Amino acid sequence: TFTIQRAGILRSVRTSSSASASTSSLSAFSFGNTCARTLTSYSNSYSNGISNSNSNSKNNPFISQHSFLELRGGASILNKKSTQTKMVSTSTSDSDAAATTTTSPETKTETETAEWKLNAVRSKMAELGIDALIVPTDDPHLSEYVPKAYMRRAYVSGFGGSAGTAVITKDEALLWTDSRYFNEASLQLDADHWTLMKQGLPKVPTLTKYIADKAAEYYTKTKTTYNVCIDPFVHPASFEKDLNGAFNEASDTLDIDIDADAESDDDVPIGKLTTMENGQNIIDDVWGESRPSIPKSPFRVHPIQYSGETISSKVTKLQSQMKEKKATLLVFSALDDIAYLMNVRAKGDVDTCPVGISYAVINSMDNETVLFCDEAKVDSEEVKAHLEEAGVVVRPYDDIISYMEQHLQQKKSKVWIDKTRSNYALSRIIPEKSLIDAQNPITPMKACKNGAEMEGMRLAHVRDGVAMANSIAWLENAIVNEGKSVSEVEVDEVITGHRAEQPEFQEVSFPTIAGVGSNGAIIHYRAMEGSELLKYLTINEPILIDSGGQYSYGTTDVTRTWHFGEATEEFKETYTRVLKGNIGVDSMIFPENTPGFVLDVFARKSLWEAGKDYGHGTGHGVGAALNVHEGPQSISPRWLNKEVLKKGMVVSNEPGYYLDGVSGIRIENLLEITYVKDEHNNAYDMGLEEGDEGYPEVEPGQKKFLCMKKLTMIPIQKNLIVTSLMTEEELDWLDQYHEEVYAKVAPLMDKEKEADGLKWLTKACEKIDRSGIN
């Protein structure tokens, strides 16, 4: 043990007697009902909480920049001397090393199979004394879709879904993912080497509980702290707290015989969190030269005609909120927040998302707004002038940490950071007394679109309607009239091709889901040439198509399920119930301050009546020429999201039903939320808020009410509808919707070049036959 002093109290902290020298080459954080975090070797005390590593070791790339000896109520920051470790190709069985024989990646000569990758990773773990390595989906900005360079979990596991976390130990490899990806993960993981943990199901522990239980088991057997390793830049700020809590709970269940000089069981760390530093990552080391480079796609200006508000105006609003919270520095990490603030977009950094890799801050002490990014991103004269006009200072991407550290050295500094949208590397350098952890103020600003943004969204959806009319007309003709079978990949290509013909189309807004038959039941399916899952569409099976486009002026997302043959009666009934759920949400009128989960039941009511349900949420927010998935609002049965729905928000409405191995049905429209009364909408467009002069009076005891307006302008297949299950009001809704679709989309179609698409649209928008209704 070694002794530390806090507030005049001496405490004993246990250190592992068998800790390897290599363990000290990482930044270690010990957990488990402990008042202190264990360190094995250290020197050179630093006064400001951060030290710069002066080690240039080539043998061990994971040299720690800093280590914390953090105490409850205060912290002492120490720098450890790093110890170089020799690369080894095998490991021997002992308390600190994996028992598996592994091959060093430096000498690899075989195909990178699942087994080879795991053996290579475990070799690195053994060298560094790591018991468990956590590999998340995330990039440093916790993006939903990440640049290929950060797809470490996909590389090491073979699972390509957009959500999931891998855990690798010396004898297990596990992947946690949610119900959207159960099918996909079970098909993509090598079952001989990986275990799928179906997150949210009974008897499936959470990732942190699993690790804590492993730590408790390990400590019971070896009396040694379990070493868990992460890359701090790709884990959320909350992860440390979550794992700490799990370790605490696990350690409470142990009957531990502690040393006589320890005061209580609280001194026993059953597990510790170790971080990889200096920009290094174990997976990258195994990945080697085949790892894609970090992209540097240039920004483009998002013009005022689409943004509706200048950078300076946005900064002024944010500075006002900073003043209210007494914040001196406001940090932005999420890429869509930065693109919104700076009125810029990019193409190429993150597939399907018009954002660029960067950080940003607003500094009230120095009265500056700073964009941290690679200089190649702001190389164009137009972008330079755009940022200079708003007084934005551009600094290198990697300067963000040192910039924050320098700011924290100033007296009375207060850093506002949204820990739910920021990585651990950023948050851990902020002392508790200087931290303001609150929702990023851009989040609600961005969610509620202004008039220009909403006009752009409406235009994008009408243009999208043209593209989809041409696409489905082609598809129906190929399947029905020409008797062809069309691959899911070709369906994707045709739809994207028609979107590309529309003015200012940039790229798709997410990877197209075109699932024929049983593939439609894989909620986030992606068709690929050469895949064993690839199917061809004929008249015998339905196809679920979920797709969208990124236009300079707006973002679209639509799902339709089509069947060009004769569907079964059961399929038609389920399709009709899904449609009734869509109409149920679309038709809602609700008071202000209603959270999204309240509306979710209306999407499921008809399905529930038939004993059916679906496992995903009903709706998500959508950005304006930004990310297709945007918070904070949602429509979901998960009632913990109490974010209220507001005027100006855009939400998806996408009930569905999926029968594994058979088919999937989903009908999705995007909706804009607006006031029922025009006078309230006019006041919103003028920028007036309740209480301002000129704002319409609301009688005491009365409320303002909201409703939905359709953005998506694409027909719904009528011959799949069982009209006897529909009410007159629902059939009227359908006819009125198709009338609106035709009125908006048809005028934009070329009567000669797009004659087939226009003919299809005309027929698809005819009123539904009600003759079969009793």
Side-chain angles (χ1 to χ4, degrees):
T1 63
F2 64 87
T3 304
I4 57 176
Q5 186 171 5
R6 178 176 71 85
I9 301 174
L10 290 176
R11 304 283 284 174
S12 296
V13 180
R14 182 184 307 278
T15 60
S16 169
S17 60
S18 60
S20 65
S22 60
T23 304
S24 67
S25 69
L26 296 97
S27 179
F29 300 74
S30 297
F31 292 100
N33 279 343
T34 176
C35 71
R37 296 179 182 171
T38 304
L39 298 178
T40 55
S41 62
Y42 55 89
S43 64
N44 301 332
S45 178
Y46 282 69
S47 60
N48 294 314
I50 295 296
S51 65
N52 295 321
S53 171
N54 57 9
S55 171
N56 292 315
S57 169
K58 295 181 180 179
N59 291 332
N60 184 353
F62 306 108
I63 304 302
S64 170
Q65 286 184 346
H66 59 277
S67 295
F68 287 83
L69 179 62
E70 186 175 337
L71 315 178
R72 291 181 182 141
S76 172
I77 312 300
L78 306 171
N79 177 44
K80 294 189 301 181
K81 290 182 179 178
S82 61
T83 303
Q84 295 186 5
T85 59
K86 182 180 179 180
M87 290 294 199
V88 295
S89 60
T90 61
S91 62
T92 57
S93 177
D94 58 40
S95 61
D96 292 294
T100 308
T101 299
T102 58
T103 304
S104 170
E106 283 85 349
T107 59
K108 68 180 180 182
T109 58
E110 54 189 287
T111 303
E112 292 188 2
T113 63
E115 181 179 14
W116 184 91
K117 291 175 184 176
L118 288 173
N119 286 344
V121 169
R122 285 170 177 147
S123 176
K124 298 293 183 184
M125 291 169 61
E127 294 166 21
L128 298 167
I130 295 167
D131 298 304
L133 176 67
I134 304 177
V135 187
T137 301
D138 297 310
D139 64 10
H141 307 277
L142 308 185
S143 308
E144 178 183 12
Y145 300 107
V146 303
K148 292 179 177 64
Y150 295 107
M151 292 182 179
R152 298 176 175 118
R153 187 225 62 217
Y155 166 75
V156 75
S157 72
F159 167 62
S162 65
T165 302
V167 173
I168 301 171
T169 69
K170 65 182 179 181
D171 53 11
E172 290 184 294
L174 309 100
L175 178 96
W176 274 259
T177 191
D178 62 56
S179 61
R180 296 172 298 166
Y181 296 102
F182 289 169
N183 281 351
E184 183 177 345
S186 64
L187 293 166
Q188 293 181 346
L189 292 176
D190 184 333
D192 291 335
H193 300 282
W194 284 89
T195 299
L196 173 60
M197 305 295 282
K198 295 185 176 181
Q199 182 177 307
L201 293 189
K203 299 183 180 180
V204 177
T206 63
L207 184 149
T208 52
K209 185 179 188 317
Y210 170 85
I211 291 177
D213 289 345
K214 291 284 286 187
E217 178 185 351
Y218 186 73
Y219 188 88
T220 300
K221 291 179 179 179
T222 67
K223 302 304 180 189
T224 303
T225 299
Y226 197 68
N227 191 5
V228 181
C229 184
I230 66 169
D231 180 338
F233 281 93
V234 295
H235 277 77
S238 60
F239 184 75
E240 175 195 11
K241 181 179 179 181
D242 294 342
L243 188 59
N244 186 19
F247 279 140
N248 287 340
E249 290 181 12
S251 63
D252 285 343
T253 66
L254 298 182
D255 182 16
I256 301 174
D257 181 19
I258 61 172
D259 291 347
D261 59 352
E263 292 186 10
S264 72
D265 286 4
D266 287 352
D267 296 313
V268 180
I270 67 167
K272 64 181 177 183
L273 183 63
T274 299
T275 58
M276 293 176 279
E277 303 295 345
N278 290 334
Q280 298 298 323
N281 186 289
I282 290 175
I283 301 300
D284 294 350
D285 196 47
V286 173
W287 206 346
E289 293 181 358
S290 61
R291 182 195 177 207
S293 60
I294 295 174
K296 302 176 182 179
S297 308
F299 282 123
R300 67 176 186 271
V301 175
H302 189 56
I304 191 70
Q305 70 187 93
Y306 301 146
S307 68
E309 188 172 7
T310 65
I311 301 175
S312 298
S313 174
K314 294 175 182 178
V315 168
T316 298
K317 290 179 180 178
L318 294 168
Q319 287 173 330
S320 176
Q321 294 186 59
M322 289 174 66
K323 188 175 182 179
E324 290 178 8
K325 286 191 175 290
K326 298 181 180 179
T328 58
L329 188 71
L330 178 53
V331 180
F332 304 106
S333 177
L335 301 183
D336 57 332
D337 290 346
I338 298 162
Y340 171 85
L341 173 63
M342 298 294 174
N343 284 342
V344 292
R345 300 293 188 266
K347 179 181 177 181
D349 275 15
V350 183
D351 288 346
T352 77
C353 300
V355 297
I357 296 174
S358 55
Y359 294 100
V361 301
I362 297 176
N363 185 336
S364 64
M365 281 186 167
D366 298 334
N367 193 30
E368 68 176 2
T369 301
V370 185
L371 174 66
F372 299 87
C373 66
D374 191 280
E375 61 181 359
K377 305 187 76 61
V378 292
D379 193 47
S380 82
E381 293 302 319
E382 183 184 13
V383 171
K384 286 179 181 177
H386 168 73
L387 295 173
E388 287 173 0
E389 182 182 4
V392 175
V393 177
V394 179
R395 294 186 57 162
Y397 176 79
D398 291 332
D399 279 6
I400 181 64
I401 295 288
S402 61
Y403 186 94
M404 291 174 63
E405 291 167 0
Q406 291 170 11
H407 185 85
L408 286 164
Q409 292 175 11
Q410 302 181 61
K411 291 183 178 180
K412 297 183 179 180
S413 61
K414 288 279 189 178
V415 178
W416 182 354
I417 190 169
D418 186 344
K419 293 180 73 172
T420 67
R421 294 171 64 82
S422 301
N423 66 52
Y424 180 44
L426 294 186
S427 67
R428 69 180 177 181
I429 67 174
I430 308 171
E432 192 67 30
K433 63 185 177 76
S434 301
L435 173 66
I436 300 173
D437 178 17
Q439 184 187 66
N440 186 327
I442 279 183
T443 299
M445 286 174 60
K446 175 164 54 67
C448 298
K449 279 62 178 172
N450 59 41
E453 291 172 318
M454 197 64 80
E455 277 302 312
M457 291 292 280
R458 293 171 190 142
L459 175 59
H461 282 83
V462 176
R463 294 288 186 189
D464 220 48
V466 173
M468 288 301 292
N470 289 326
S471 298
I472 305 306
W474 175 89
L475 186 58
E476 184 176 55
N477 180 67
I479 301 299
V480 176
N481 298 330
E482 298 179 4
K484 293 181 177 179
S485 60
V486 180
S487 78
E488 295 162 328
V489 170
E490 187 175 3
V491 171
D492 179 359
E493 292 171 346
V494 168
I495 292 173
T496 302
H498 283 297
R499 280 198 170 102
E501 295 171 354
Q502 302 308 308
E504 297 188 68
F505 173 81
Q506 298 293 333
E507 60 184 327
V508 297
S509 57
F510 57 95
T512 297
I513 301 167
V516 172
S518 58
N519 287 343
I522 304 173
I523 297 176
H524 281 210
Y525 173 69
R526 178 80 186 273
M528 294 185 182
E529 290 287 4
S531 167
E532 294 180 1
L533 292 176
L534 183 66
K535 300 188 72 169
Y536 289 75
L537 180 64
T538 67
I539 61 171
N540 298 319
E541 290 187 288
I543 183 170
L544 184 153
I545 305 174
D546 188 351
S547 65
Q550 291 285 7
Y551 301 86
S552 296
Y553 36 83
T555 303
T556 69
D557 178 6
V558 58
T559 307
R560 292 289 184 267
T561 306
W562 308 95
H563 200 309
F564 300 113
E566 184 56 42
T568 66
E569 292 305 313
E570 181 181 4
F571 184 90
K572 289 180 180 179
E573 178 185 335
T574 305
Y575 182 94
T576 304
R577 292 187 182 279
V578 170
L579 175 59
K580 286 168 71 70
N582 184 288
I583 295 172
V585 172
D586 182 284
S587 303
M588 280 297 297
I589 293 177
F590 52 96
E592 272 193 319
N593 299 316
T594 298
F597 72 82
V598 173
L599 274 62
D600 184 78
V601 66
F602 294 93
R604 301 175 193 268
K605 179 177 180 294
S606 184
L607 284 167
W608 285 355
E609 289 170 351
K612 298 178 178 179
D613 200 1
Y614 52 96
H616 57 76
T618 297
H620 56 82
V622 180
L626 266 177
N627 291 357
V628 73
H629 294 152
E630 178 182 273
Q633 75 277 16
S634 69
I635 301 174
S636 167
R638 289 174 279 278
W639 55 269
L640 290 177
N641 184 354
K642 295 181 172 61
E643 193 72 36
V644 301
L645 301 178
K646 299 177 182 178
K647 158 73 179 180
M649 287 181 170
V650 173
V651 294
S652 69
N653 174 19
E654 47 186 308
Y657 182 73
Y658 313 92
L659 189 59
D660 286 352
V662 179
S663 64
I665 299 169
R666 187 160 65 249
I667 301 172
E668 175 189 17
N669 280 356
L670 295 194
L671 307 171
E672 64 172 282
I673 300 176
T674 188
Y675 287 115
V676 171
K677 292 186 176 181
D678 288 340
E679 58 187 15
H680 295 142
N681 290 319
N682 294 336
Y684 178 92
D685 292 340
M686 294 170 61
L688 299 177
E689 297 181 359
E690 198 165 343
D692 291 346
E693 184 178 352
Y695 193 89
E697 291 187 11
V698 179
E699 295 294 329
Q702 298 298 308
K703 296 181 178 180
K704 292 181 288 183
F705 280 80
L706 296 161
C707 63
M708 308 287 195
K709 290 182 67 175
K710 303 167 193 65
L711 285 169
T712 303
M713 292 289 127
I714 297 167
I716 294 167
Q717 189 170 351
K718 298 191 297 292
N719 64 359
L720 295 179
I721 299 170
V722 180
T723 55
S724 60
L725 287 175
M726 301 277 282
T727 66
E728 286 290 338
E729 291 78 11
E730 289 168 339
L731 293 171
D732 288 344
W733 178 97
L734 187 68
D735 285 342
Q736 291 165 9
Y737 175 54
H738 283 153
E739 183 179 355
E740 182 181 4
V741 169
Y742 185 82
K744 291 181 176 180
V745 175
L748 273 64
M749 300 186 73
D750 189 298
K751 293 183 179 179
E752 294 183 3
K753 295 180 181 179
E754 297 173 314
D756 291 340
L758 185 57
K759 181 180 178 181
W760 177 89
L761 180 70
T762 302
K763 183 173 179 59
C765 290
E766 290 175 352
K767 290 188 176 183
I768 191 168
D769 182 3
R770 306 190 188 200
S771 60
I773 302 176
N774 294 327

